[in-house]
C-alpha cells in the first residue's frame, strides 16, 4: 500500500483526498518508481479544484511532474536504482501522476535526473522550469541574441516566468519582467530582471501595432497580454507563447506578423520530443544556480496540496510549490 492524492468523480465536482492505494491499482507501464518529490502546477490545480476538465478518467492521481528512483523496469533504458524525472506526457490527466508515493510509467517518458540537481531541486524546477528552458531554446534557435534588445517575460513571478527570467539573464539578455505584484520587484531583480513592467500596461485591449519595445518575449499569460506583446515586438523579433493565465483567446490582428515579420513560437511541454527535453534540462543544469531555487520554491507535504491548489488558481502564489509525497 502507498499514499496518493486521489481524485474521484463526485455528483457536484471532484472529490480529492490523500488515500491509501494498493500497488495492484497502479496503471500499466514498464517502469515503476518510488517517488520522492512532485510539484503543484497550474494544470494540477485545475484538476484538483475542478475548475477545468483536465482529468480524462476517474479515479485519477494528479501531478504532471515527479522525481524518484526506479525500483522495477523492463524498459531497456532503465534499471533499478536509476534516478529519473518526468514532465508531461498526459500524466495526471489520463495516466496516474506524481502526487503519490509510487508510480508506474512508460520508460520513454522519463529523462535522467541531472547530476547538478537533487530530486527536490529538480521538482523546484518541474514542468514550469523545463518549459521556461524550452522557451529560451526556441528564441535562440530563431536567432534572437542578447545584443538585439530587451526580452520581456510576462507572468514573471510565476513558476515559468521566474525561471525564464533567471535563464535569460544568465544567457546575457537584458530582461524586462511583467507582473501585477509590485511588492515582488526585489525578488525579480534578484533573479536577474533589469526592469519591472506593470502587467496592467499589457492586459487590456490595445492597438494592432504599438511602439516597438522588445527584441523577443516569453509569454505565460495569453489573451490581450499576448496580443499586446506581439504588437510591441520589434521588427524580426519572436515571441514564445507557453501559457494562458489570462485566457486561451488571442484577440490580435495579423499586423505584427505581416508588417514587422514577428514570429509567434508555440511551446508545447507535454509531448516535446526527448532530444529537446534533454537539451532543456542541460541548459537548466548548466545555467540555473541551485541555490536560487530556494527563493523560487516552497516545500509542502502531500496533504497540503489541495489548499495550495486553490491558492494557485487565485493567483496569490509566488514561484513554485514542491510536494514531499512522503510526508
Amino acid at each position: 500500500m502507498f499514499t496518493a492524492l486521489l481524485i474521484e468523480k463526485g455528483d457536484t465536482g471532484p472529490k480529492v483526498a490523500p488515500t491509501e492505494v494498493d500497488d495492484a491499482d497502479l496503471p500499466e507501464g514498464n517502469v515503476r518508481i518510488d517517488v520522492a518529490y512532485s510539484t503543484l502546477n497550474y494544470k494540477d490545480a485545475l484538476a484538483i479544484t475542478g475548475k477545468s476538465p483536465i482529468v480524462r478518467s476517474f479515479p485519477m492521481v494528479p501531478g504532471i511532474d515527479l522525481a524518484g528512483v526506479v525500483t522495477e523496469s523492463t524498459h531497456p533504458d532503465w534499471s533499478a536504482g536509476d534516478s529519473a524525472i518526468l514532465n508531461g506526457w498526459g500524466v495526471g490527466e489520463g495516466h496516474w501522476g506524481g502526487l503519490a508515493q509510487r508510480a508506474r510509467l512508460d520508460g520513454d517518458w522519463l529523462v535522467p535526473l541531472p547530476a547538478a540537481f537533487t530530486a527536490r531541486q529538480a521538482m523546484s524546477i518541474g514542468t514550469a522550469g523545463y518549459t521556461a528552458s524550452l522557451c529560451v531554446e526556441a528564441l535562440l534557435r530563431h536567432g534572437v541574441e542578447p545584443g538585439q534588445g530587451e526580452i520581456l517575460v510576462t507572468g514573471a513571478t510565476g513558476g515559468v516566468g521566474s525561471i525564464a527570467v533567471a535563464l535569460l539573464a544568465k544567457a546575457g539578455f537584458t530582461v524586462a519582467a511583467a507582473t501585477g505584484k509590485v511588492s515582488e520587484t526585489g525578488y525579480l531583480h534578484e533573479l536577474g530582471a533589469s526592469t519591472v513592467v506593470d502587467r496592467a500596461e499589457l492586459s487590456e485591449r490595445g492597438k494592432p501595432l504599438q511602439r516597438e519595445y522588445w527584441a523577443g518575449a516569453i509569454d505565460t499569460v495569453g489573451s490581450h497580454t499576448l496580443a499586446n506583446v506581439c504588437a510591441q515586438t520589434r521588427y524580426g523579433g519572436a515571441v514564445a507563447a507557453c501559457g494562458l493565465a489570462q485566457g486561451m483567446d488571442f484577440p490580435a490582428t495579423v499586423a505584427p506578423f505581416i508588417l514587422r515579420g514577428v514570429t509567434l513560437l508555440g511551446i508545447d511541454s507535454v509531448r516535446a520530443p526527448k532530444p529537446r527535453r534533454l537539451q532543456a534540462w542541460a541548459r537548466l543544469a548548466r545555467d540555473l544556480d541551485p541555490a536560487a531555487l530556494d527563493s523560487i520554491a516552497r516545500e509542502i507535504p502531500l496533504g497540503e496540496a489541495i489548499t495550495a491548489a486553490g491558492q494557485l488558481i487565485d493567483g496569490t502564489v509566488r514561484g513554485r510549490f514542491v510536494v514531499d509525497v512522503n510526508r
Side-chain angles (χ1 to χ4, degrees):
M1 301 292 289
F2 64 94
T3 304
L5 194 68
L6 200 66
I7 303 177
E8 297 183 281
K9 193 171 186 179
D11 294 334
T12 59
K15 296 190 298 181
V16 190
T19 306
E20 289 298 302
V21 181
D22 193 282
D23 278 16
D25 294 325
L26 285 167
E28 294 184 0
N30 50 22
V31 177
R32 195 179 78 167
I33 290 181
D34 278 353
V35 180
Y37 292 94
S38 184
T39 66
L40 199 62
N41 295 280
Y42 192 74
K43 185 180 285 187
D44 301 319
L46 291 172
I48 291 168
T49 60
K51 295 291 185 181
S52 184
I54 297 297
V55 176
R56 298 197 294 270
S57 63
F58 294 91
M60 178 59 58
V61 175
I64 66 174
D65 291 320
L66 63 83
V69 176
V70 174
T71 55
E72 294 179 6
S73 174
T74 58
H75 191 283
D77 293 345
W78 299 99
S79 301
D82 290 343
S83 295
I85 53 179
L86 177 137
N87 311 109
W89 291 116
V91 168
E93 303 173 67
H95 188 101
W96 283 17
L99 288 169
Q101 293 174 323
R102 292 177 198 155
R104 186 181 288 135
L105 307 155
D106 186 330
D108 289 341
W109 299 344
L110 303 171
V111 296
L113 173 69
F117 301 126
T118 65
R120 184 191 185 282
Q121 289 169 338
M123 289 297 95
S124 297
I125 296 166
T127 284
Y130 147 68
T131 301
S133 191
L134 288 174
C135 289
V136 174
E137 293 288 344
L139 291 177
L140 291 170
R141 279 197 306 274
H142 186 73
V144 179
E145 298 177 354
Q148 295 172 349
E150 274 190 300
I151 305 295
L152 177 69
V153 177
T154 65
T157 58
V160 177
S162 293
I163 294 178
V165 170
L167 290 178
L168 287 165
K170 182 68 175 181
F173 288 97
T174 301
V175 184
T179 181
K181 301 171 183 173
V182 179
S183 61
E184 302 294 355
T185 297
Y187 165 75
L188 292 168
H189 284 313
E190 287 177 10
L191 290 176
S194 297
T195 57
V196 176
V197 178
D198 188 339
R199 73 180 177 196
E201 298 177 19
L202 298 165
S203 59
E204 301 297 328
R205 182 178 294 276
K207 295 180 180 179
L209 278 180
Q210 302 171 36
R211 181 179 173 182
E212 297 176 64
Y213 289 104
W214 322 114
I218 294 175
D219 177 65
T220 71
V221 178
S223 193
H224 291 295
T225 297
L226 177 56
N228 286 322
V229 170
C230 290
Q232 294 177 5
T233 298
R234 294 180 181 179
Y235 189 92
V239 179
C242 64
L244 44 71
Q246 185 179 11
M248 191 179 289
D249 59 323
F250 182 44
T253 73
V254 298
F257 312 116
I258 65 173
L259 297 180
R260 289 184 181 162
V262 172
T263 298
L264 184 59
L265 303 167
I267 306 300
D268 166 52
S269 63
V270 176
R271 296 189 298 165
K274 192 167 185 176
R276 288 202 173 172
R277 291 171 180 267
L278 293 172
Q279 186 179 39
W281 276 101
R283 174 173 293 279
L284 290 160
R286 183 182 68 244
D287 291 351
L288 192 62
D289 180 4
L293 297 174
D294 291 335
S295 65
I296 293 172
R298 173 157 50 105
E299 184 178 314
I300 60 173
L302 184 63
E304 290 184 16
I306 299 170
T307 300
Q311 294 171 351
L312 270 178
I313 295 297
D314 292 339
T316 59
V317 176
R318 181 186 87 177
R320 306 270 295 140
F321 283 116
V322 177
V323 183
D324 182 345
V325 299
N326 295 297
R327 69 177 182 94

